[in-house]
Amino acid sequence: MTTRTAPKPTDSEPFDFNLDAVKSEVELTPFRVHYDGRRWEFAHMEGLDVWDLVEAAEGGEASAMTGVFRISLGDQWADFRKVKFPQYKMKALFNAYREHCGMEPGESEASES
């Protein structure tokens, strides 16, 4: 007896949800910061790749926060990482960045998904 398998649907067949049509509910404006004599531009959290964020979060809270900065800074990360950065400034920066992106304290990008 031969096993029959259902044919694989093509992209032109009906679907239940068109994720390609989903757009951000907020304007994804970057967050611009001046620090250590330089301007830094962080991509909006809502636009960051969720898979990169989840991977960073696997290392715990500090790794998640560092991961958000690394991902959002992109090519600027290597230079940003060279700057001396006291913890109190990191907390202030993260809080301001989160507020810019419309996220409540304690809310992470990964929990939004």
Side-chain angles (χ1 to χ4, degrees):
M1 181 186 271
T2 308
T3 305
R4 292 177 30 169
T5 58
K8 184 177 178 182
T10 65
D11 287 342
S12 62
E13 293 184 41
F15 44 82
D16 297 313
F17 181 67
N18 185 358
L19 191 54
D20 290 330
V22 174
K23 303 295 180 208
S24 176
E25 295 178 3
V26 298
E27 191 173 336
L28 300 178
T29 56
F31 180 60
R32 295 172 184 98
V33 174
H34 188 272
Y35 181 58
D36 198 48
R38 180 174 165 180
R39 176 187 178 104
W40 306 94
E41 190 169 292
F42 297 76
H44 195 286
M45 278 191 216
E46 289 281 326
L48 302 181
D49 186 328
V50 70
W51 304 124
D52 292 338
L53 296 172
V54 168
E55 187 176 300
E58 289 174 352
E61 189 175 336
S63 179
M65 186 172 15
T66 304
V68 166
F69 287 144
R70 178 180 47 79
I71 297 160
S72 65
L73 282 166
D75 293 341
Q76 302 169 86
W77 173 249
D79 289 339
F80 189 75
R81 181 64 182 83
K82 293 175 186 174
V83 175
K84 294 282 185 189
F85 208 67
Q87 185 173 351
Y88 73 92
K89 288 190 186 248
M90 173 69 80
K91 288 179 184 177
L93 173 62
F94 195 69
N95 289 337
Y97 180 43
R98 199 170 38 211
E99 184 177 323
H100 169 84
C101 295
M103 302 180 90
E104 299 293 324
E107 183 179 11
S108 71
E109 180 65 20
S111 70
E112 289 267 305
S113 304

